[in-house]
Amino acid sequence: MVAPVDGGDGLVTGSFDLLLTAESLFPPRTGIGNYTFNLHRELLLRPEIGRLVLLAGLRRLESVPDHAATPAATPIADRPISPLRRLAHESGLAMAAWSAVYRARLRLALKAPGSFPGDPLGWVRTRRDALYHEPNMIPRPYGGICVSTFQDLAWHRFPDALPVERLRWIERHLPRALAQSTRIITTTDFVRREVMSVLGVPGDRVDVVPLGVGPEYHPRSPAELEPVLSRHGLEHGRYLLTVGTIEPRKNLRRLLAAYGALPASVQRLAPLVVVGASGWRNAAELADMDALVARGAVRYLGYVGAGDLPFVFAGARGFAAVSLYEGYGLPPLEAMASGVPVLCSAGTAMEEVTTGCARLADPLDEAEIGIRLRELVEDEDGNRFLVGRGLRRSAALTWAACAEGTIASYRMALGAGAVAGATGISD
């Protein structure tokens, strides 16, 4: 393996090793999990990456967790929090102690003989240039070079929509995350501007790397769709679709209200199908949905696995996502790649991602949402125009391109680390 060297332009050439946090790969796998899964898959193909290690806590994962596994069987979510880590949430001194203990335990775990097949002396004893990538904003305590992806700033924009415990955890660890991250990745210019203005991060430390859409999302014939759709009680072209975790930021209540106000004839032609795991603070959303389910206007499928989801996308008459806030908006892109016309929120990152390929509505205006929903059902000429544009746009956004941009960010981080004298795992 060729060690990274400074190429003379602030970038590092040669191959390097990578640590990638992998808790989000356990089911139910949502947006960050899909990002991590697809990025990991592409990085494995790249010659620039030497050894790629998935870490869940202090454990090295031998393989990507089964996406179809029962969520309740996931050990990571249920693992008890140590007393020291719990205290760290409330005390700066305790947090510093916990961070030091974690770094030491991680260093020992990676050095342990036999931790990595074919490396009996321990990986880190011979490799001290590993880069750590945290896909979910707050990195683990780590003494080496670190890149963090900031998916969004929802915790800042809509603090009331998050569990209090999660908000406190972010506020406690965010200063360390900003200090520890050599470079920050965002998936849109929208979030990059927020990171700069809200968090005060210089623009030259922030890289925009758009997400991609996988080849499993593509237009499909009715015959190809029928086995999967029938299993879910669906018919090709006979439903509208929305996909997302059931939580307040997704603005499902206004979508349901707008849909519920449509004429009964429109609802019969295209019932609204809701896909997504139950999140938090969603009692009102679930109650509104139950009322429409009882009327037969809405179907709630809950969490749909990766094997069936592309078929559910491709069979829809139209797709709607009217979130109050998104950092990217992967489901609208997946719908576009599936040949389905899209409605999404104006003034959000989704407008940047769909860029002229979708109908837009003010997410606070139920009447406007209702008008656009009806257009998804009835405006066939407009739908054909949007589908054509959406297919062209989505074809340019691939996970391979995402990996390429991510590696470019890695190289800049390694170059900055070499200048600063950073060398792998240390105190």
Side-chain angles (χ1 to χ4, degrees), residues 59-345:
R59 295 189 306 121
R60 174 184 182 246
L61 299 182
E62 297 295 335
S63 61
V64 172
D66 182 4
H67 190 33
T70 303
T74 301
I76 297 299
D78 296 333
R79 185 173 298 161
I81 299 176
S82 69
L84 179 58
R85 186 174 178 184
R86 190 181 301 279
L87 181 62
H89 294 319
E90 307 297 333
S91 163
L93 181 61
M95 184 175 70
W98 173 76
S99 297
V101 169
Y102 183 91
R103 285 197 302 270
R105 291 179 66 196
L106 176 61
R107 189 167 61 251
L108 290 173
L110 291 174
K111 284 183 177 181
S115 293
F116 304 96
D119 187 14
L121 294 179
W123 179 46
V124 179
R125 291 183 183 177
T126 56
R127 300 292 298 168
R128 298 189 58 82
D129 49 28
L131 180 144
Y132 165 36
H133 182 188
E134 174 51 62
N136 194 16
M137 189 169 71
I138 306 293
R140 300 293 197 281
Y142 181 75
I145 300 167
C146 175
V147 172
S148 299
T149 299
F150 279 51
Q151 304 284 349
D152 57 55
L153 268 61
W155 52 270
H156 171 77
R157 293 282 297 273
F158 296 94
D160 292 340
L162 270 71
V164 174
E165 297 79 8
R166 175 66 178 170
L167 188 61
R168 288 176 178 169
W169 185 85
I170 291 172
E171 290 173 345
R172 171 65 67 182
H173 290 278
L174 183 63
R176 175 181 58 80
L178 294 173
Q180 183 176 328
S181 301
T182 309
R183 299 200 69 79
I184 289 172
I185 292 174
T186 67
T187 58
T188 56
D189 282 313
F190 180 92
V191 177
R192 179 178 183 269
R193 292 192 297 270
E194 288 193 319
V195 167
M196 293 166 59
S197 63
V198 174
L199 303 181
V201 178
D204 60 6
R205 280 183 58 201
V206 187
D207 304 314
V208 178
V209 182
L211 302 182
V213 61
E216 64 272 23
Y217 291 95
H218 60 83
R220 300 173 187 266
S221 69
E224 185 182 2
L225 292 169
E226 198 279 332
V228 174
L229 295 188
S230 63
R231 188 162 62 246
H232 293 283
L234 303 175
E235 296 181 49
H236 174 251
R238 297 280 297 181
Y239 60 94
L240 297 179
L241 177 67
T242 187
V243 176
T245 303
I246 311 302
E247 51 105 346
R249 179 168 57 92
K250 300 299 183 180
N251 203 28
L252 182 60
R253 296 195 72 189
R254 288 191 178 90
L255 178 62
L256 291 171
Y259 181 83
L262 294 178
S265 59
V266 176
Q267 295 181 13
R268 284 194 299 269
L269 185 60
L272 178 64
V273 173
V274 180
V275 170
S278 180
W280 45 86
R281 295 189 174 185
N282 59 13
E285 284 80 1
L286 295 175
D288 290 352
M289 188 160 54
D290 286 345
L292 288 168
V293 168
R295 281 173 39 189
V298 168
R299 292 276 316 282
Y300 178 42
L301 301 186
Y303 179 75
V304 174
D308 285 5
L309 191 58
F311 292 82
V312 175
F313 265 103
R317 190 182 190 95
F319 176 85
V322 293
S323 301
L324 297 173
Y325 175 86
E326 293 287 346
Y328 190 82
L330 193 53
L333 178 59
E334 292 165 342
M336 287 161 49
S338 301
V340 173
V342 168
L343 160 64
C344 63
S345 302

Side-chain angles (χ1 to χ4, degrees), residues 366-386:
E366 291 177 11
E368 186 177 9
I369 295 171
I371 291 169
R372 300 294 172 253
L373 286 171
R374 190 164 184 176
E375 289 173 352
L376 282 180
V377 177
E378 298 180 338
D379 184 6
E380 295 185 1
D381 288 341
N383 286 343
R384 278 192 290 270
F385 173 78
L386 291 176

